[in-house]
């Protein structure tokens, strides 16, 4: 976990939370990051392998670019591989 952003999370406007998590991840040089549990920012040097390992989930588990409960919406800086991952289980 990079940072718990839930205290500032607004489900009707998720963009500031997504941008904050992207900035935190990018500052550390990480290529992938994810948002889960309504605002917990995840990333790390091995994030890519973790996100792709568990595959995708149903769309209702990730709303407006942020995961719910034990799901996370994953993002990448730059090109993705041949398939798209939008969420993972934590």
């Amino acid at each position: 976990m990079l940072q718990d952003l839930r205290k500032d999370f607004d489900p009707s406007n998720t963009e500031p939370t997504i941008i904050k998590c992207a900035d935190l991840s990018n500052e550390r040089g990480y290529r992938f990051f994810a948002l889960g549990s309504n605002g917990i920012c995840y990333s790390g040097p091995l994030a890519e392998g973790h996100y792709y390992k568990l595959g995708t989930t149903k769309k209702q588990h990730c709303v407006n670019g942020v995961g719910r409960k034990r799901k996370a919406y994953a993002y990448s800086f730059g090109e993705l591989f041949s398939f798209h991952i939008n969420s993972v289980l934590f």
Side-chain angles (χ1 to χ4, degrees):
M1 178 177 78
L2 282 182
Q3 190 169 346
D4 186 343
L5 303 173
R6 290 179 292 182
K7 68 180 177 85
D8 297 321
F9 179 71
D10 177 358
S12 66
N13 183 20
T14 59
E15 188 173 324
T17 303
I18 295 167
I19 291 170
K20 175 67 175 172
C21 186
D23 288 345
L24 290 168
S25 184
N26 191 43
E27 288 169 2
R28 291 164 176 79
Y30 301 143
R31 192 169 158 223
F32 291 82
F33 68 96
L35 275 161
S37 301
N38 294 317
I40 296 180
C41 178
Y42 298 97
S43 190
L46 305 176
E48 174 183 349
H50 182 74
Y51 298 155
Y52 284 98
K53 178 173 72 174
L54 298 174
T56 62
T57 190
K58 296 176 183 174
K59 288 187 180 191
Q60 67 263 28
H61 294 295
C62 293
V63 180
N64 297 328
V66 178
R68 307 279 189 239
K69 297 185 182 178
R70 292 176 37 100
K71 307 291 183 190
Y73 197 104
Y75 293 86
S76 169
F77 298 108
E79 290 185 37
L80 281 176
F81 297 98
S82 59
F83 58 96
H84 177 72
I85 292 294
N86 69 340
S87 58
V88 294
L89 175 67
F90 280 94

